[in-house]
Amino acid sequence: MFHNDEFIAETLRDLGLVTKAQIGAAREHLAEEGLIQTLVNDGIVTEEDIARALAAQNSMEFVDLGEAHPERRILDMVEGDDARRYQALPIALRNGILTMAIGDPMDMQSMDDLTYKLQREIEFVCGSPQEIRKLVVKHYGSAEDAANELLKEAGEAKRSDATDDEEDDDGPGDAPVIKLVSMILLEAHTNRASDIHIEPLEHKLRIRFRIDGVLQEMQPPPKKLHGAIISRLKIMSKSMSIAEKRIPQDGRIQIRVGDNSIDLRVSTIPTVHGESVVMRILDKTSLLLGLPDLGFLSDDQAKFEQCINLPDGIILVTGPTGSGKTTTLYGCLNYMNKPDRKLITVEDPVEYQMNGINQVPVNTSIGMTFPAALRSILRQAPNIIMIGEIRDSETASIAVNASLTGHLVLSTLHTNDAPSAIARLVDIGVKPFLVSSSVRAIVAQRLVRRLCPHCKLPGELSDYELQTLQIDPGQVRQASVMRPVGCERCRGRGYRGRMGIFEMFIVDDEVRNMVNNNASTIALRLRARELGMRTLREDGVRKVLAGMTTAEEVISTTMSDLD
């Protein structure tokens, strides 16, 4: 809701609304929404307290919206989409000046956007954010209501303005389809979806969002709108052919939601019943994640920071597709991105564009492969190199040589656990003595869903969960085990967001000797355990006992430590 968390926290402390200790405690269990929302969740301050304080600081009038009863003609001056997007409510019109209530007096971007969109003089006042949310839904309806109306409007427009073989042509009926596509993208972003799947079936069109790793079906539009929706997405991508429906195509779409820039990676593929589209949502706000936000507990975070502060060597992040490896690498880059260091990445594709980092996209069609890019960037004198993935012996050899000549190399591998990465590198073709000389640490990871901080309640572990996770009942008595409930914030799911569970293998001198002597993965794993490595399941158990996730999540995501 509020912008610039650190500045607001300092302002609240100066005004005596929070203490330094309370801010520090909130940082220890930071909510997904940030520091200020954590203070609100903890009951330290209310959104209204913050809004009143910021209004006073910015010389803006604070109004009691309980006394506001705007006329319909005033409400109609603002589109419902804009009211919902900017959380703004028009409340009065005097001498041609529109009075608009907003919840965050520091959100200058939203105020500028509204002034530009409405093309009129606006006097902004501050109100309770909670009251504004209620009144926006009351007067304009919810996002779901708007989506239903658009579906109805789009269906009627297509019936009157297009025949079956004209669905892809531009015409009067396309305006509702444009709005419908925009609403689908907005709803996906609002629901924090990572993917949008638009799939034609025999008798219907199916739309699903992947939210916190789980696909959830949304209300579908009529099947006859399929062609128009696909065409609209291709037009938005600016690099895909509307006429070509027989071969797969790829593109990118960039949209703005409020003051956030959202990139979508678009992929189409022909199926029996028409083109299927998957859009990967690349929200740049995830670039700002710190290591605690990724799921590292304080002891593992300290170890990991030591590793990525080394001057050279290879740091590997391993796990299957969709386990968050790339997000962890970007978190590392964000941590290490300082003016005195030169960072270069080689990626296929470049998913997120980061300021201050040289990012090189792989393009195999013109010979710009991982090895070719790596050979070139070494001449650019980088301190830190990030390789999207080590896939073959040539890439692995160049990465090893780079690490041995004074560069820190970050990359990923597809292995089930951390010790297996050693064997994988040897299988690729890297000599064991080069592996032992270059690899500094390996981190295996998986993703589990976080319990919603707004509705989780104390819970218990079943006998099956205690036995499967090998938890001593005595541990539970001293823990904070929680269970999912479901509320408006998490849309009744009981979970909100995801975090990593980690297995951290630090390579010491004895491990190097074992690698040189071709030790088995089992032997390396035993040595890692002696060094204090917690398995993925054990790290998950710690987070279950801390009330961060559930036993069900950990069991479904990890293998038994006895396997």
Side-chain angles (χ1 to χ4, degrees):
M1 175 65 216
F2 296 101
H3 294 66
N4 200 335
D5 276 17
E6 295 298 331
F7 176 81
I8 294 175
E10 290 303 313
T11 300
L12 296 177
R13 192 180 76 169
D14 291 343
L15 294 173
L17 292 175
V18 299
T19 65
K20 184 176 181 180
Q22 288 170 328
I23 294 174
R27 283 200 178 98
E28 289 294 317
H29 61 284
L30 208 60
E32 181 188 352
E33 300 93 333
L35 177 60
I36 297 304
Q37 189 59 50
T38 305
L39 291 170
V40 172
N41 295 346
D42 290 348
I44 307 300
V45 289
T46 66
E47 288 185 336
E48 183 170 333
D49 291 335
I50 299 170
R52 284 182 180 276
L54 295 178
Q57 286 286 103
N58 288 274
S59 302
M60 183 182 288
E61 180 186 357
F62 187 92
V63 297
D64 181 2
L65 293 175
E67 305 296 322
H69 303 287
E71 301 174 24
R72 188 72 249 175
R73 66 183 181 88
I74 294 173
L75 292 167
D76 289 343
M77 292 179 178
V78 177
E79 294 282 346
D81 287 349
D82 289 334
R84 283 185 289 269
R85 180 176 304 158
Y86 299 111
Q87 288 297 293
L89 184 74
I91 56 176
L93 182 67
R94 299 186 187 90
N95 300 321
I97 301 174
L98 181 65
T99 301
M100 183 93 71
I102 60 171
D104 182 359
M106 295 181 63
D107 188 1
M108 302 303 297
Q109 182 69 53
S110 292
M111 288 187 265
D112 288 344
D113 286 353
L114 284 165
T115 302
Y116 176 76
K117 282 184 174 229
L118 298 182
Q119 292 292 300
R120 68 182 309 137
E121 186 176 351
I122 301 176
E123 178 188 10
F124 288 98
V125 296
C126 187
S128 162
Q130 188 176 13
E131 284 299 313
I132 290 176
R133 286 195 292 270
K134 288 180 181 177
L135 290 171
V136 165
V137 171
K138 174 183 175 182
H139 294 299
Y140 294 100
S142 65
E144 288 84 352
D145 296 334
N148 292 337
E149 188 62 32
L150 277 175
L151 287 173
K152 180 180 176 183
E153 183 182 349
E156 291 173 352
K158 276 297 165 185
R159 279 195 296 273
S160 61
D161 292 319
T163 61
D164 288 345
D165 58 353
E166 292 174 333
E167 279 188 337
D168 292 343
D169 295 338
D170 292 334
D174 289 325
V177 173
I178 291 172
K179 289 183 180 180
L180 174 59
V181 170
S182 297
M183 180 60 70
I184 291 171
L185 300 182
L186 178 60
E187 276 296 285
H189 175 68
T190 302
N191 281 278
R192 301 171 301 101
S194 59
D195 304 286
I196 304 170
H197 296 249
I198 301 177
E199 304 157 314
L201 305 180
E202 185 176 3
H203 300 296
K204 70 172 187 175
L205 182 63
R206 182 166 67 178
I207 294 183
R208 294 187 290 176
F209 295 166
R210 190 182 297 278
I211 302 172
D212 297 335
V214 179
L215 280 172
Q216 300 185 23
E217 193 156 351
M218 313 306 288
Q219 181 179 358
K223 175 73 182 293
K224 65 173 62 181
L225 294 179
H226 171 240
I229 291 171
I230 300 300
S231 293
R232 174 59 186 163
L233 291 170
K234 287 181 176 180
I235 290 170
M236 292 175 72
S237 77
K238 299 179 182 177
S239 62
M240 302 169 75
S241 170
I242 297 176
E244 184 56 75
K245 303 177 183 179
R246 300 164 299 170
I247 60 173
Q249 296 189 66
D250 295 304
R252 293 181 82 102
I253 295 173
Q254 188 171 67
I255 59 172
R256 290 196 67 82
V257 178
D259 57 355
N260 292 329
S261 177
I262 309 298
D263 284 338
L264 296 100
R265 198 170 74 207
V266 186
S267 172
T268 68
I269 191 168
T271 71
V272 173
H273 301 296
E275 286 183 284
S276 174
V277 177
V278 175
M279 289 176 281
R280 176 84 184 274
I281 301 175
L282 307 172
D283 188 347
K284 293 182 180 179
T285 57
S286 63
L287 295 180
L288 305 177
L289 290 178
L291 298 182
D293 304 317
L294 297 174
F296 283 104
L297 296 177
S298 56
D299 53 348
D300 281 343
Q301 181 182 336
K303 287 182 187 176
F304 195 53
E305 286 179 359
Q306 285 180 346
C307 293
I308 60 179
N309 280 316
L310 292 170
D312 56 29
I314 297 178
I315 312 293
L316 292 172
V317 181
T318 77
T321 301
S323 59
K325 301 187 297 295
T326 301
T327 301
T328 297
L329 287 184
Y330 276 112
C332 294
L333 293 176
N334 187 51
Y335 173 82
M336 297 185 291
N337 189 9
K338 297 174 183 175
D340 61 341
R341 297 172 176 174
K342 179 160 185 174
L343 286 73
I344 301 183
T345 73
V346 183
E347 305 170 64
D348 181 21
V350 174
E351 293 196 353
Y352 301 95
Q353 296 179 20
M354 300 183 72
N355 291 328
I357 295 178
N358 299 277
Q359 295 174 273
V360 180
V362 167
N363 188 343
T364 54
S365 63
I366 59 171
M368 190 63 163
T369 60
F370 271 109
L374 283 170
R375 280 192 293 270
S376 298
I377 69 172
L378 288 175
R379 302 187 194 106
Q380 298 283 313
N383 300 103
I384 298 163
I385 301 168
M386 191 270 269
I387 305 170
E389 182 185 346
I390 294 178
R391 301 177 179 177
D392 52 52
S393 60
E394 194 174 2
T395 304
S397 297
I398 297 172
V400 167
N401 289 334
S403 72
L404 295 176
T405 53
H407 304 86
L408 182 65
V409 179
L410 307 176
S411 191
T412 69
L413 271 179
H414 286 278
T415 62
N416 286 330
D417 60 9
S420 298
I422 300 290
R424 175 67 178 145
L425 287 174
V426 174
D427 288 343
I428 285 175
V430 182
K431 300 293 185 185
F433 75 91
L434 290 175
V435 174
S436 65
S437 302
S438 58
V439 177
R440 300 286 183 264
I442 305 163
V443 178
Q445 72 174 69
R446 299 289 188 278
L447 292 177
V448 294
R449 290 185 291 174
R450 290 180 187 265
L451 282 165
C452 175
H454 309 289
C455 63
K456 64 181 180 181
L457 291 175
E460 297 179 351
L461 297 177
S462 67
D463 291 340
Y464 167 77
E465 290 169 337
L466 290 171
Q467 183 178 356
T468 303
L469 295 178
Q470 299 179 347
I471 299 175
D472 186 329
Q475 291 178 274
V476 179
R477 287 192 288 271
Q478 303 172 9
S480 304
V481 176
M482 295 287 179
R483 61 181 175 87
V485 177
C487 66
E488 182 181 345
R489 300 277 187 99
C490 63
R491 291 182 169 265
R493 292 185 289 266
Y495 297 93
R496 186 175 171 85
R498 290 190 289 176
M499 64 180 175
I501 54 175
F502 303 96
E503 181 175 280
M504 196 171 303
F505 181 17
I506 309 297
V507 178
D508 69 350
D509 288 339
E510 185 172 338
V511 171
R512 292 189 183 95
N513 289 331
M514 294 174 69
V515 174
N516 287 334
N517 293 322
N518 294 311
S520 68
T521 298
I522 294 175
L524 290 172
R525 188 170 187 80
L526 290 173
R527 175 56 185 164
R529 300 285 275 152
E530 290 173 5
L531 290 172
M533 182 189 81
R534 273 183 291 269
T535 65
L536 289 164
R537 180 159 282 192
E538 287 171 343
D539 191 45
V541 166
R542 291 204 301 166
K543 288 160 185 173
V544 170
L545 297 178
M548 301 166 73
T549 187
T550 61
E552 180 184 4
E553 281 290 298
V554 174
I555 292 170
S556 65
T557 309
T558 61
M559 297 184 298
S560 167
D561 297 333
L562 300 177
D563 291 346

